[in-house]
């Protein structure tokens, strides 16, 4: 009798087998290409003792070649929240684990994005330690700022290490924008707060003292000027720290001027926003924009009690006996279409691939495998 329940691993095995069968039958890959894909997947299976979607992603890249714009992959690490190692080395170790994950990728990603909250209390020595760790990545890294990096000295140390938090670059026909999204109206001066009190208040997220995060008028003006020279058919990828939409106000999972930012992005055919801060698998689509939340290497946040975008595929509740559970890093495959496939590389769990088509079809197609345990 067939088992009533199939594990996620079994489903991955079945999907992979049927995909390889189809590929051979249709002859869409040369024998050399097929062996490369199959070999890569088999190597990973042997090394990790489970099936990961890496094999699928290589297939995607191989199939996409020759269709115009070159496909490529980039990786991410986010929300490491590091104290200095003499205070607490657990988050330092998990950041190093993520660097090892990314450095082990073969082929290497074209670059890595860091999603913000490198430090925990915003001290220069925490940020310097983080910069040293990020330097050990083999691929180039583009760094985003988070509120934990900023509100002790209002960005002085961060800027001296990483430069302006608003910048852009072009890569293989795609325009990438990194935008500082955790500005806040001044709540500290009138209250006579010290720098440490200001930092602790912002880091607290769910207190009533602070305002909500925003890109701000200056940041939006910078974005408007940056995008002015970009053709509307060029795919746009925006990295922010807070989600560039309004998810849950009470926890500052929120960008107050999100609608104004969306208006600046409205004329582009393909826009993807990739954000940190929420420490969870989070998927959303709003108009022409796909949104992906990144995993943290430090801890998972619970899902907010209301406002969760309905396309989100929730993670299982984290196992409190495993400090790495529901943490992780990940990869993005930039497809020739200008859309992105996303891999959530969850430590201690099966990885989850979210296809661009899942968001494009508003959840009708390519739904990722659902979790089987209680969500949180
Ligand atoms: Fe964070
Ligand atoms: Fe944050």
């Amino acid at each position: 009798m067939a088992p009533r329940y199939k594990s996620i691993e079994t489903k991955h095995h079945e999907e992979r087998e049927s995909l390889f069968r189809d590929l051979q039958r249709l002859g869409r890959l040369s024998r050399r290409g097929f062996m490369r894909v199959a070999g890569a997947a088999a190597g990973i299976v042997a090394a990790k003792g489970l099936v990961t979607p890496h094999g699928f992603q290589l297939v995607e890249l191989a199939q996409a070649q020759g269709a115009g714009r070159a496909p490529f992959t980039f990786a991410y690490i986010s929300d490491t929240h590091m104290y200095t190692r003499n205070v607490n080395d657990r988050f330092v170790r998990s950041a190093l684990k993520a660097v090892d994950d990314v450095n082990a990728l073969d082929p290497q990603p074209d670059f890595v994005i860091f999603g913000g909250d490198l430090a925990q209390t915003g001290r220069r020595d925490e940020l310097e330690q983080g910069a040293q760790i990020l330097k050990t990545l083999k691929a180039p890294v583009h760094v985003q700022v988070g509120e934990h990096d900023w509100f002790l000295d209002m960005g002085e140390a961060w800027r001296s290490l990483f430069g302006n938090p608003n910048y852009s670059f072009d890569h293989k026909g795609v325009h990438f924008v990194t935008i500082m999204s955790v500005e806040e109206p001044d709540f500290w001066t009138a209250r006579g707060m010290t720098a440490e009190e200001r930092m602790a208040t912002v880091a607290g997220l769910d207190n009533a003292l602070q305002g909500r995060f925003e890109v701000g008028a200056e940041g939006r003006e910078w974005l408007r000027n940056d995008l002015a020279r970009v053709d509307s058919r060029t795919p746009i990828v925006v990295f922010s720290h807070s989600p560039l939409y309004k998810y849950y106000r009470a926890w500052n999972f929120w960008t107050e001027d999100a609608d104004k930012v969306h208006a600046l992005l409205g004329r582009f055919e393909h826009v993807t926003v990739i954000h940190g801060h929420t420490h969870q698998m989070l998927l959303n689509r709003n108009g022409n924009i796909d949104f992906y939340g990144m995993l943290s290497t430090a801890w998972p946040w619970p899902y907010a009690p209301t406002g969760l975008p309905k396309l989100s595929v929730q993670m299982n509740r984290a196992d409190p006996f495993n400090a790495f559970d529901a943490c992780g890093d990940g990869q993005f495959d930039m497809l020739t279409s200008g859309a992105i496939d996303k891999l959530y590389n969850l430590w201690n769990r099966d990885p989850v691939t979210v296809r661009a088509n899942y968001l494009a079809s508003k959840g009708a197609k390519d739904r990722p495998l659902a979790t089987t345990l209680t969500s949180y």
Side-chain angles (χ1 to χ4, degrees), residues 29-101:
L29 281 179
S30 65
R31 178 170 168 74
R32 192 159 158 261
F34 175 76
M35 293 309 286
R36 186 168 72 87
V37 169
I44 290 162
V45 171
K48 287 194 163 184
L50 51 81
V51 176
T52 81
H54 289 73
F56 294 92
Q57 302 209 324
L58 289 171
V59 169
E60 195 74 52
L61 292 177
Q63 285 182 315
Q65 265 162 17
R69 192 183 298 110
F72 61 92
T73 298
F74 57 101
Y76 79 79
I77 299 173
S78 194
D79 290 85
T80 51
H81 288 268
M82 284 181 282
Y83 297 92
T84 52
R85 67 186 69 208
N86 57 320
V87 175
N88 175 346
D89 75 344
R90 189 178 119 201
F91 297 153
V92 177
R93 283 186 283 116
S94 59
L96 291 168
K97 178 178 165 70
V99 168
D100 283 349
D101 280 356

Side-chain angles (χ1 to χ4, degrees), residues 132-312:
Q132 287 298 322
I133 289 172
L134 293 179
K135 272 185 195 160
T136 62
L137 284 161
K138 291 184 205 165
V141 58
H142 298 284
V143 182
Q144 165 68 255
V145 69
E147 77 279 11
H148 284 256
D149 307 323
W150 193 263
F151 281 90
L152 183 65
D153 62 7
M154 300 309 289
E156 192 182 320
W158 194 91
R159 274 192 301 252
S160 73
L161 290 164
F162 303 111
N164 192 323
N166 293 331
Y167 60 95
S168 65
F169 57 97
D170 295 297
H171 187 79
K172 295 184 178 172
V174 179
H175 187 65
F176 289 87
V177 176
T178 301
I179 189 124
M180 157 41 148
S181 65
V182 292
E183 297 282 2
E184 283 213 18
D186 183 345
F187 62 85
W188 51 90
T189 304
R191 291 186 171 93
M193 286 182 161
T194 64
E196 287 76 14
E197 286 167 342
R198 176 179 59 209
M199 178 72 250
T201 303
V202 176
L205 294 179
D206 59 347
N207 59 68
L209 292 179
Q210 62 182 313
R212 299 300 95 183
F213 292 138
E214 61 182 23
V215 170
E218 217 175 295
R220 294 197 309 273
E221 191 53 30
W222 176 86
L223 183 62
R224 182 195 311 280
N225 289 330
D226 181 76
L227 295 175
R229 63 187 172 83
V230 184
D231 188 281
S232 61
R233 285 164 301 179
T234 303
I236 306 288
V237 180
V238 179
F239 305 137
S240 62
H241 182 67
S242 56
L244 275 186
Y245 60 94
K246 295 174 177 178
Y247 169 14
Y248 191 62
R249 194 172 197 286
W251 294 352
N252 225 344
F253 284 6
W254 192 269
T255 303
E256 187 70 27
D257 53 355
D259 298 346
K260 290 176 181 165
V261 177
H262 294 183
L264 297 174
L265 297 165
R267 72 180 168 90
F268 295 96
E269 286 177 15
H270 288 285
V271 183
T272 305
V273 171
I274 298 169
H275 65 85
H277 188 60
T278 49
H279 301 205
Q280 58 196 222
M281 276 173 49
L282 200 56
L283 315 170
N284 195 8
R285 185 170 173 85
N286 185 329
N288 65 328
I289 310 177
D290 290 339
F291 298 85
Y292 295 101
M294 290 184 255
L295 300 172
S296 162
T297 64
W299 67 81
W301 283 123
Y303 287 105
T306 61
L308 182 68
K310 63 178 188 298
L311 290 174
S312 288

